[in-house]
Amino acid sequence: MFDLVADIRRYPEFLPWVVAVRVRESSDTAMVADMSVGFKSLRETFTSRVKLVSPSHVDVDYVSGPLKHLRNDWRFHPTADGGTRLDFDVDFEFKSKIFERLAGAFFHEAFKRMVSSFEARALKLYGSRSLSATNVA
């Protein structure tokens, strides 16, 4: 699961609204990347610094773009049955109050759709082991 999350170059293949990713810098432990997200005629690009600590966590910090701030943390915990429990936290705020209101109105549904997209990608890559997501948004 760590590899799935860390492979941000492939996000446009399976994540809704992610239309492009460009990795500016990359090493085994970190990267700086631009991600373009879009919906209908709206498109924004933001840059993040990604810290990779395999296999336990991925931390994403905002560098620039349409947000005031963005931070998300992925934590991977092995389970007794050989699976992985994943904890994901995200905190962000738009610079524009209009975007903030729009995002607030759709955030829960968008979050569920993104979780479903990661689950579907994991199923495709790793097979049909029991997948179950519990989310709190």
Side-chain angles (χ1 to χ4, degrees), residues 7 18 21 29 38-39 45 108 112 127:
D7 191 7
V18 176
V21 170
T29 60
F39 181 73
T45 298
H108 187 70
K112 287 190 332 188

Side-chain angles (χ1 to χ4, degrees), residues 2 12 26 30 32 38 40 42 45 62 66 93 100 104 112 114 119 127-128 131 134:
F2 174 90
S26 183
V32 175
K40 298 191 181 199
L42 295 174
T45 298
Y62 182 69
E93 182 180 359
E100 188 73 29
K112 287 190 332 188
M114 291 186 77
E119 287 178 330
S128 64
L131 280 176
T134 304

Side-chain angles (χ1 to χ4, degrees), residues 44-93:
E44 292 286 350
T45 298
F46 61 93
T47 303
S48 296
R49 183 169 289 106
V50 181
K51 180 180 173 186
L52 306 166
V53 182
S54 181
S56 63
H57 60 275
V58 175
D59 297 322
V60 180
D61 289 307
Y62 182 69
V63 175
S64 66
L67 303 171
K68 279 189 181 177
H69 72 269
L70 166 70
R71 170 112 182 128
N72 63 61
D73 301 305
W74 303 77
R75 297 289 183 260
F76 307 90
H77 308 278
T79 61
D81 65 356
T84 301
R85 187 186 89 230
L86 186 139
D87 295 324
F88 175 71
D89 293 308
V90 62
D91 181 38
F92 68 95
E93 182 180 359

Side-chain angles (χ1 to χ4, degrees), residues 1 4 118-129 131:
M1 290 301 294
L4 185 154
F118 272 101
E119 287 178 330
R121 181 71 170 179
L123 182 62
K124 179 179 177 182
L125 294 177
Y126 306 125
S128 64
R129 287 189 81 155
L131 280 176

Side-chain angles (χ1 to χ4, degrees), residues 87-113:
D87 295 324
F88 175 71
D89 293 308
V90 62
D91 181 38
F92 68 95
E93 182 180 359
F94 284 95
K95 289 178 185 173
S96 163
K97 290 300 176 191
I98 293 169
F99 279 139
E100 188 73 29
R101 284 190 209 111
L102 283 170
F106 298 104
F107 179 76
H108 187 70
E109 192 58 39
F111 183 79
K112 287 190 332 188
R113 191 156 167 211

